[in-house]
Amino acid sequence: MPKEKEIISSFEKLKPLLPHRGEKESARIGAAKHYLGKGGVLHVVQSKGDWPKLLYPNKANLKRKIDEMRFLREQYAKRLDGWQRKHGDAKSYHLVHNVKKLKEPLYWQHMARYAIDPDYRNDSDKVKMPAHLVADKRWKPMIKMFVTNIEYRKQLVLTVDESVAYRQH
């Protein structure tokens, strides 16, 4: 004689209570597998219908869990969009700045000084000046100081030459 009420903690225990049809896996079976696989517990009662009657979790509990999952899914979708946007920006960063540098007068001033002045060229090579990033607002002030201020340039070269942080091991 089958038990009337039963507490189920694995899908294997639930299988004998399910209707035996030649159907593909239904959404209900998939949800039960997922729920029990995550450590959930079902409290069911044998019923005269096809499926056992679910006592726990009740409808209110299931609705709350579904709402929580929908909220989390929306939050993760928003985060994913932001991460994909940042990833796309990072992938195109160097390409974009290599194009933007062409409209910057400071870049052309650097290139002219680099071509004409051997001392400037030597300093630029020692420091490995990232002039291709002149369109980036974080790099532009440093590059501008390097191009226009000889004291700054010489101090930067001295720092690169003598600092322990810049030495190759």
Side-chain angles (χ1 to χ4, degrees), residues 119-131:
D119 184 45
Y120 180 87
R121 183 180 321 118
N122 187 30
D123 292 345
S124 181
D125 289 342
K126 279 186 181 178
V127 174
K128 297 180 182 161
M129 181 53 53

Side-chain angles (χ1 to χ4, degrees), residues 6-104:
E6 201 167 339
I7 296 177
I8 297 170
S9 61
S10 73
F11 187 72
E12 294 304 317
K13 289 183 182 178
L14 181 65
K15 267 186 182 178
L17 303 176
L18 298 178
H20 298 287
R21 296 184 192 152
E23 299 176 8
K24 293 183 181 177
E25 185 174 297
S26 71
R28 193 184 269 187
I29 291 175
K33 276 184 181 178
H34 179 74
Y35 179 73
L36 293 169
K38 293 278 189 179
V41 176
L42 298 176
H43 190 188
V44 296
V45 175
Q46 284 282 29
S47 69
K48 295 176 184 163
D50 289 340
W51 290 85
K53 185 177 179 185
L54 189 61
L55 297 177
Y56 177 83
N58 59 22
K59 287 183 182 181
N61 194 351
L62 288 173
K63 183 176 178 355
R64 183 183 50 78
K65 286 185 181 207
I66 289 170
D67 291 344
E68 284 176 14
M69 295 304 289
R70 281 191 183 126
F71 175 76
L72 286 174
R73 188 178 197 163
E74 290 171 7
Q75 294 301 311
Y76 291 145
K78 287 177 187 174
R79 287 183 190 174
L80 180 63
D81 288 344
W83 292 333
Q84 286 174 334
R85 200 173 311 110
K86 280 185 180 182
H87 182 255
D89 291 347
K91 279 174 55 176
S92 64
Y93 176 81
H94 285 290
L95 177 65
V96 167
H97 281 83
N98 270 324
V99 172
K100 282 184 173 181
K101 73 180 179 187
L102 300 175
K103 72 174 186 133
E104 287 288 335

